Amino acid sequence: MKALPYGSWASPVTADLLVEKVVGLSQLHVDGDDLYWLESRPNEAGRHVIVSNDAGDAIPGSLSARTLVHEYGGGDYAVADGRIVFSDYRSQRIVVDNRPITPDDGGRYADFDIHPGGRSAACVRERHLEDGDVVNDIVVVSLDDGFVRLVASGHDFFSAPRWAPDGRLAWLAWDHPNMPWDGTSLFVDGELVAGGLEESISQPRWSPDGVLHWVSDRTGWWNICSEAGPLPPMDAEFTYPDWVFGEHTYDWLPDGRLVAMYTSGGIDHLAVVAEGAVRTIDVPFTELSCVVAWRGGIAAVAASGTESEAVVQIDVDAASFSVLRTARESTLDPRFISVAEPVEFPTEGGARAHALFYPPTNPDAEGPPDERPPLVVMIHGGPTSAASPALNFVKQYFTTRGIAVVDVNYGGSTGYGRDYRQRLRGQWGVVDVQDCANAARWLADEGLVDGSRLAIRGGSAGGYTTLCALTFRDDFATGASFYGVADAEALAADTHKFESRYLDGLIGPYPAARDLYRARSPIHFASQLRVPVILLQGLEDKVVPPAQAEVMVAALRANGVECEYLAFEGEQHGFRKADTIKAAAEAELSFYGKVLGFDPVL
């Protein structure tokens, strides 16, 4: 093992490896003995492909199953009796048996659930009208002729239409300015069952014997509820924030036992809920999603700190599993892998915040004894989201080179209960920035990183926190903003419907709180930002339009601040193309090396 400057270690994690034979895995569905899932393929320009465990690709190469409802999509397809129903990305029309059945009128459809009779599907419809208004509702679509029947309207948003075995239909609805993690209402055939302005409900689902279940945070945590009575409460979260449609974290085994994913301490677990108790299953996964009953056990998308995301089959009684499909064929020698270390640290007002720390790890190199590693602070998007403890090659891209990483679950993150999530109410651009800075400073005080070589990076809402931290504080030497918000006021005035009132809760009602928006927008204080910055942006981004980055870049350059700007054609909110992902990774690493004083091996 050689003593080499941190940041200059040779790494097996190249930019090519970040996208080499990599797919995104999501949205598991069961149809009899068959299991289906959705693959997002960067090497096919981000195409979304429905895949069967038995027959492989289930849709032709000319089609991509991806809806744009809420812009973020999800719930892109459903399958029953071998019949696949999905939203075609190019036209947004519903496709059945590989032919479009709905009019080519710009209507969008998502979150499909096929009726027990198999002749129709309930879904969310989104219409963009000529006057600019966007209307969402619940409809039932005939799978034979595409006839659309309106079922529910009158709310700003709808999600999760789910059929009972006897044909009753449940769904969720909510209105501005709430987001689904703030307050939602649960309906069955138009009758209010649960929820409201101060209770977040997710994932209504009918048990095989027709009992309605859902996840509610009425206890302060997202726990599973039932119309037959409460399930055992836990200080744990049994769902994720509903940024996308179709989340699926619990299901029933053939013997009636409920199997569920829950998050505690930033780590996901799998458990059986039966006879008034929750029994955790000893499987080696730290992240779980898409939990569905299949072949007497369950299938899920799972990952660990040392293994990439995969579709797995789990025997819950034997606590054993088999892998059906991995997200990447390439493996990484475990000796190079830095595994997440959950940490808790002090922050403003005597509060405690959470993060996942990744120390530099490389069996072939170590840092000089008188040197501490640089640190990259990672900020998840949302901001209502959470850092993942699963193996992530982007983090290993840094740690294998001798750069520490901390992924911060600042106040407002999910996984720690409603009160922790509510810490960000009215405080976006304040609490998140404080927590990220305090995480970095705490690690420096502990002697784990070099406090003079701190970088901060984030995408979307994480990009906003990045720019705020660089503008309003002096903790960081540099940063990278991926499609980040520079002007909160512009975001409030120019974004899609789903998030158009999101900032009411994060900052304040607009335009009444206009002065506060301006005070928390880095674009108006660019003269205070004096450290080098790299900004990366998709030119077709409808969530955070390119103008946000372009105005910020112009202001920085006018002030003589070192700034790099990379704009990518054909990319939206989040990079999906292999060439984009590679170019962004190499540019970011090179930029850090130039600023923080190391020579990276690309």
Side-chain angles (χ1 to χ4, degrees), residues 197-233:
L197 296 178
E198 300 294 332
E199 179 184 355
S200 172
I201 292 181
S202 177
Q203 294 191 66
R205 186 157 297 123
W206 302 88
S207 67
D209 57 357
V211 176
L212 181 61
H213 290 63
W214 62 91
V215 181
S216 166
D217 67 357
R218 66 177 62 170
T219 65
W221 298 83
W222 269 319
N223 282 191
I224 300 176
C225 300
S226 163
E227 63 182 354
L231 276 69

Side-chain angles (χ1 to χ4, degrees), residues 488-496 500 510 541-548:
E489 183 181 13
L491 183 64
D494 181 22
T495 191
H496 58 124
S500 62
Y510 186 83
D541 193 338
K542 302 298 184 183
V543 179
V544 180
Q548 294 256 344

Side-chain angles (χ1 to χ4, degrees), residues 360-374:
T361 304
N362 189 314
D364 300 327
E366 61 182 355
D370 59 347
E371 186 180 340
R372 295 289 177 267

Side-chain angles (χ1 to χ4, degrees), residues 278-297:
V278 177
R279 177 177 64 85
T280 300
I281 301 168
D282 186 18
V283 288
F285 305 119
T286 57
E287 184 175 84
L288 289 152
S289 62
C290 309
V291 176
V292 295
W294 185 54
R295 291 185 176 177

Side-chain angles (χ1 to χ4, degrees), residues 43-110:
N43 287 310
E44 294 183 31
R47 179 172 168 251
H48 287 208
V49 184
I50 301 167
V51 179
S52 162
N53 70 296
D54 181 51
D57 290 5
I59 61 173
S62 59
L63 297 175
S64 177
R66 181 180 166 210
T67 180
L68 293 177
V69 176
H70 291 182
E71 300 298 334
Y72 293 107
D76 300 292
Y77 80 102
V79 58
D81 297 324
R83 201 174 201 188
I84 299 174
V85 179
F86 67 95
S87 175
D88 170 50
Y89 173 57
R90 289 184 180 176
S91 68
Q92 291 298 292
R93 299 167 73 183
I94 295 176
V95 172
V96 179
D97 299 328
N98 293 326
R99 64 178 181 86
I101 62 169
T102 48
D104 190 10
D105 59 3
R108 304 175 181 184
Y109 304 87

Side-chain angles (χ1 to χ4, degrees), residues 11-25 39-44 308-309 325-333 391 393-394 397 576-583 585-586:
S11 169
V13 186
T14 63
D16 284 327
L17 192 62
L18 296 181
V19 297
E20 182 183 38
K21 297 180 181 178
V22 176
V23 297
L25 300 171
E39 294 188 4
S40 173
R41 299 175 178 172
N43 287 310
E44 294 183 31
S308 296
E309 190 176 67
R325 173 71 160 116
T326 59
R328 62 169 65 242
E329 294 184 14
S330 300
T331 58
L332 187 60
D333 185 332
L391 176 63
F393 275 47
V394 173
Y397 186 71
R576 294 176 173 84
K577 296 181 180 179
D579 289 345
T580 300
I581 295 168
K582 289 164 53 179
E586 292 184 340

Side-chain angles (χ1 to χ4, degrees), residues 441-512:
R441 287 300 173 196
W442 180 78
L443 290 169
D445 291 343
E446 293 291 309
L448 298 173
V449 302
D450 184 347
S452 68
R453 294 195 291 170
L454 305 176
I456 185 168
R457 77 187 299 271
S460 189
Y464 170 72
T465 302
T466 293
L467 293 174
C468 284
L470 295 172
T471 301
F472 301 124
R473 297 183 65 112
D474 59 4
D475 304 272
F476 299 98
T478 187
S481 171
F482 289 74
Y483 34 89
V485 178
D487 186 345
E489 183 181 13
L491 183 64
D494 181 22
T495 191
H496 58 124
K497 179 186 176 183
F498 180 62
E499 292 186 87
S500 62
R501 299 288 301 279
Y502 187 21
L503 302 191
D504 282 27
L506 293 175
I507 298 177
Y510 186 83

Side-chain angles (χ1 to χ4, degrees), residues 537-542 546 550 565 567-572 575:
Q537 177 71 41
L539 292 178
E540 294 182 12
D541 193 338
K542 302 298 184 183
E550 292 162 0
Y565 178 50
F568 298 99
E569 294 278 358
E571 292 287 8
Q572 297 173 326
F575 297 155

